[in-house]
Structures are given as structure tokens and as C-alpha cells.
Amino acid sequence: MNFDSFDLNPRLLANVAALGYTAPTPIQEQAIPPVALGRDVMGLAQTGTGKTAAFLLPIINKLLDAPIEARPKIKALIVAPTRELAQQIADASRDLTRQTKIRTITIYGGVALSPQTRNLHAGAHIVVACPGRLLDHIGQGHVDLTNLTTLVLDEADHMFDMGFLPDIKKILSHLPKERQTLLFSATMPGDIRRLAQEILRNPATVSIGRSAPADTVSHAAYPVRADLKTALLLNLIGGAKDGSVLVFTRTKHRAKRLAGQLERAGHKATSLQGNLSQRQRQAALDGFRDGAFRVLVATDIAARGIDVTRVAHVVNYDIPDTPEAYTHRIGRTGRAERTGQAHSLITGEDMAIIRAIERLIGKPLPRVTLEDFDYDAPVTERDVDAPRAPFYPRGAGAPGNRAGARPGARQGERQNTGRSSFGQNRPGSGGQGRPQSRPQSGRYAGNSSSSAA
Ligand code: AMP
């Protein structure tokens, strides 16, 4: 299938071609026809599947069919949970509307109100907005939504997680009842199901991969003492020459601290966390995209929706709280048919969530131990908010130096004992690839005191 079969405006087709899209992704194949027919759509698709273009293409196509107005009126409103996601959607919209008269503007917090007010007064066809700031503008009478024909709620599950439901309901009360509504979500918890029943009319449901991660991602779990996580991460990163690395931590404090540790250890690293100004966040993201930073350390909230297509490795420095969050995190790798790897540093406390993740992905996470890593290194400095008890009691045996009974391993479970780590689990092998020898000895192997400091 190619894009010609959607009967799109030639200008739009040219813009699609300029972006290098040769064939529609599965979510685009499924969603574009019903959206183009004007139907409501419930789209179950994770980030990285091409869902943005799946809703933008038919919306833009319809706008291109309409007569040009002197001052554009808002026809499509796209609501997204974070400013990064809103910005990415707006960027995609501007790319797809090049050399047309379609105008896209963004509305989100953390930046001055007045330029957005001016943009709203100048008029736009497509508004991409975060809920809170949009309500501010609505409250001040800056937004005329009476001509709206299409509403998109993107990453609806995240909007719920972030407590935006009351805001969404308020926004809905300002929209025309006669409209097309598209709801996109990576997961379908009860709250989303109820919202869908409430606001969608006879929707077409399109679903890609449910909430399971892309097949192009391989997984590995590294049992390790909590206080050795940083040293192990340094070993992993040092062993992989190529590819960008997105590291997730539980708190913004840890993200900042860890990025600093990586930087001091000689890596081009930065952090994306809630304490940054909008300008700093953008600089971190741009630097990661263009390769100025190879490693980005982020919290879940800060990283929501970030669109970085070339992430080779996602590392769960701290395991996420839910299997869905695991899926979201590793959605940043293996995108658009590229292969990627998901690495999780796990401690004894993580076993319940690991089992839940294994149920979701339908296979065990292969446990990997590193031959050249000193799992028995003395406790030097503990991560400030790491679990108190080290996972391996000193002298009680650690991975790599005792056959059988490896921490975190289950009976009968196959394990890898690898010299190297990144790169050893090939997609398609179920993550159980043979360990490869690493061309260089681990820079930080057995040197946790300096690397963890
Ligand atoms: P999304 O899931 O919308 O965040 O898209 C993920 C990435 O896939 C983005 O970088 C898009 O530019 C890219 N993409 C979207 N559609 C296609 C396509 N048909 N072919 C190749 N890449 C695409």
C-alpha cells in the first residue's frame, strides 16, 4: 500500500514524500479511511507507530478542500498532555502543511501568554494545546471554538495519569456538540473506556499492537545491588560504541544527579526533568536529537511523548511502576521498524513489577550478568533515594561468581553471562542472543567507587 490510495491532495502527498514516508504505517492504513469519512475513532496505538500523521493527514486533507478564509478559524483542536508532545504534533503539522495556507499554532504553559494570545487573534486552522493553558485562554475569551469540526485527544491515558480529566471535561463543554472526535491512547484502562463511551459516537476502533511493545525491541534485565546501579550503567554505556541512550529514573532529583555522574565520567549526557525551564528542556531535547548529547536521563513525566526516532537503547535505571509505563518508555526505541534494546537494572524489590512486565510482553525478561563487572564491590555511596537494603548481602554470592542461584533468576530460567551488554541481545532472538566479547575492557568495571561518586 502507498499514500496514493488515500486520495490525498497532491500538495499533501508531496509533503509526505518530502518527509521520506514511502508507505503508510499500520495505524495510518487503519485510521486514515474512517477519519477521512468523518467518523469518530478510538485509536489504540503507542507512540512511535506513526499515529500523529494518522490523524493529521485526513484533518489537513479536509482543510485543503475548504475555501481559503482571510482570517483562519479554528477547525481542529488537538489536545496533548505535555508541551513536548504538543510541540512535536505542531511540528509534524507544519511539515505536512508546507506551501499551503494552513496555519498551526501551539498553546501550552511554561511560556508567556501574550504571544499565544496574538497568535489566537491572528487566527489558525489547527490548534495544538495542553489542557491547562488552553483553559486559561478560553477563560480570558481569547479562543473562538465555535467553528471547530474535529477534536483529537492524544495520549489520553497520560492525560488521565496526569489528572487532566476535569480540564478535558471543561474543554469539551466549550466545543460544538456536532463534531468529529478522535481519541488516541496507548492503553485502555477503565477510565479511558468510560470517556470513550461518553464522548465518541459510533466510533471506529483501530488498534495497533495493543499495549505490547514493538517486536523490534529486545529486552534484558540486569540484577544488581541498588548502590551499584550507576557503576553498572557506566559499564553498559562504556561497552556500547554506537547509538543514543535514553535512561529513565524514578525522580527528577535522580535524573539530574545521574546525568551529572555520567558527564563527570566522560559521557555526553544531559537530563530532562521537571525542574528545567522550557528553554533548557528544548536545549536538552535538541541536543539529544542532533547527537550533541548521547545520553539523556529523564523522568517519565518529563519524557512523555518525546519523539526521538533514533534511540538505540532505553535503560530503566529505575524500573517503572506499571507494565504500561514500561511499554511507554521503551516505545522510544525500535521505532519505525528500527531495532532497539530495552535494558532494565533490577533489584530484589522489583520482582513483582518484573513479573507483570513479563506477562505483558509475553516472555521472560532474559537476566543478564556482566563478566567484567564487580558485583561484590564494597558499598561506597548509596543513591540517596535508592532502597535501603542492598540486594545482595555482602559475601552471600553475586552474579558472575556463583553458579546457579543468581539473584533475580527464577527456576529453570535461561540466563546470559555476558562480557558485554548493549548489543548482545538481538531482536528476533527473543533477547537471548549469545554474549559477544567486548573489544575494550570496561572502563568502569570493578571501579564503582569512582564511577558512583
Ligand atoms: P508518532 O507515532 O506519530 O510519534 O511517529 C513516530 C515517528 O515515525 C515520527 O518520527 C514520524 O515522523 C515517523 N513516521 C510517521 N509516519 C511514517 C511513515 N509512514 N513512514 C515512515 N516514518 C513515519
Side-chain angles (χ1 to χ4, degrees):
M1 192 174 195
N2 60 36
F3 283 98
D4 292 337
S5 39
F6 295 128
D7 197 19
L8 298 175
N9 179 292
R11 183 64 254 160
L12 188 49
L13 277 177
N15 290 341
V16 166
L19 284 172
Y21 303 173
T22 49
T25 65
I27 189 76
Q28 291 162 2
E29 274 184 30
Q30 287 189 36
I32 290 173
V35 178
L37 283 174
R39 285 192 66 176
D40 283 4
V41 167
M42 172 73 230
L44 269 165
Q46 63 192 84
T47 303
T49 52
K51 67 182 163 63
T52 313
F55 60 74
L56 280 177
L57 284 169
I59 288 174
I60 294 167
N61 200 48
K62 190 160 120 190
L63 289 171
L64 288 170
D65 275 350
I68 307 295
E69 301 144 330
R71 179 178 172 273
K73 299 187 177 81
I74 300 170
K75 294 285 169 47
L77 170 65
I78 300 159
V79 184
T82 63
R83 44 195 175 185
E84 277 81 18
L85 182 60
Q87 192 58 55
Q88 280 163 27
I89 296 168
D91 290 345
S93 179
R94 291 187 185 116
D95 285 342
L96 289 168
T97 53
R98 262 193 205 133
Q99 296 185 41
T100 71
K101 297 236 181 320
I102 311 267
R103 217 172 104 77
T104 303
I105 61 171
T106 49
I107 300 290
Y108 47 69
V111 294
L113 204 71
S114 49
Q116 296 177 353
T117 309
R118 277 198 297 278
N119 285 339
L120 283 164
H121 286 315
H125 301 90
I126 300 175
V127 172
V128 190
C130 294
R133 179 56 72 88
L134 177 63
L135 281 173
D136 291 345
H137 283 290
I138 290 175
Q140 295 184 29
H142 300 152
V143 197
D144 176 9
L145 293 164
T146 52
N147 296 286
L148 180 124
T149 57
T150 306
L151 167 72
V152 182
L153 297 176
D154 197 14
E155 299 212 349
D157 45 356
H158 281 155
M159 292 209 258
F160 268 93
D161 293 347
M162 295 169 80
F164 282 139
L165 182 60
D167 285 355
I168 299 292
K169 296 233 157 129
K170 273 188 219 141
I171 292 167
L172 287 168
S173 72
H174 290 275
L175 304 181
K177 298 251 169 317
E178 272 310 309
R179 60 162 196 267
Q180 178 183 36
T181 306
L182 315 175
L183 184 66
F184 284 85
S185 186
T187 57
M188 192 70 168
D191 287 336
I192 305 290
R193 209 177 295 279
R194 278 187 288 280
L195 181 73
Q197 279 162 0
E198 218 175 290
I199 66 170
L200 301 179
R201 286 188 292 193
N202 186 25
T205 300
V206 299
S207 168
I208 294 303
R210 297 268 157 200
S211 57
D215 290 343
T216 48
V217 178
S218 68
H219 309 257
Y222 303 81
V224 66
R225 241 169 46 199
D227 64 298
L228 290 181
K229 279 184 177 184
T230 304
L232 191 118
L233 175 68
L234 284 163
N235 186 304
L236 287 175
I237 295 175
K241 294 238 185 295
D242 302 316
S244 54
V245 186
L246 180 57
V247 181
F248 284 96
T249 61
R250 193 172 54 232
T251 65
K252 51 190 178 184
H253 172 77
R254 271 157 89 82
K256 188 172 172 209
R257 183 168 178 267
L258 184 58
Q261 289 171 324
L262 295 176
E263 238 188 322
R264 285 193 292 281
H267 294 285
K268 290 190 274 177
T270 189
S271 66
L272 189 69
Q273 25 83 19
N275 286 348
L276 302 180
S277 68
Q278 178 61 16
R279 197 186 51 75
Q280 289 170 316
R281 288 158 80 92
Q282 203 58 51
L285 270 176
D286 290 347
F288 188 53
R289 273 202 198 100
D290 65 25
F293 299 113
R294 178 175 175 226
V295 187
L296 180 68
V297 188
T299 58
D300 288 293
I301 299 234
R304 245 153 216 181
I306 66 170
D307 176 23
V308 184
T309 47
R310 267 171 247 268
V311 176
H313 306 279
V314 169
V315 179
N316 295 311
Y317 181 89
D318 296 316
I319 205 78
D321 292 335
T322 63
E324 283 74 24
Y326 180 84
T327 301
H328 283 302
R329 285 183 179 186
I330 70 171
R332 275 53 175 245
T333 188
R335 280 189 175 194
E337 309 304 322
R338 287 194 184 94
T339 56
Q341 300 186 355
H343 311 261
S344 300
L345 313 193
I346 60 171
T347 68
E349 296 196 337
D350 299 330
M351 287 311 136
I353 184 68
I354 292 295
R355 301 216 196 297
I357 291 168
E358 291 177 331
R359 277 196 296 279
L360 178 75
I361 65 173
K363 59 187 175 195
L365 289 181
R367 306 301 197 265
V368 179
T369 55
L370 307 178
E371 260 178 20
D372 57 358
F373 183 74
D374 182 6
Y375 287 88
D376 264 341
V379 177
T380 50
E381 183 196 334
R382 243 176 231 165
D383 285 329
V384 276
D385 53 354
R388 286 283 131 212
F391 184 41
Y392 309 129
R394 290 281 303 141
N401 67 0
R402 205 171 65 143
R406 287 205 177 100
R410 284 183 295 176
Q411 278 266 301
E413 193 173 271
R414 187 168 158 193
Q415 297 174 36
N416 290 323
T417 301
R419 288 180 52 77
S420 168
S421 38
F422 280 8
Q424 92 180 11
N425 293 303
R426 293 271 166 251
S429 68
Q432 308 250 2
R434 269 182 290 125
Q436 299 170 335
S437 61
R438 198 165 66 190
Q440 56 170 45
S441 66
R443 254 199 297 168
Y444 302 96
N447 190 18
S448 63
S449 52
S450 65
S451 58

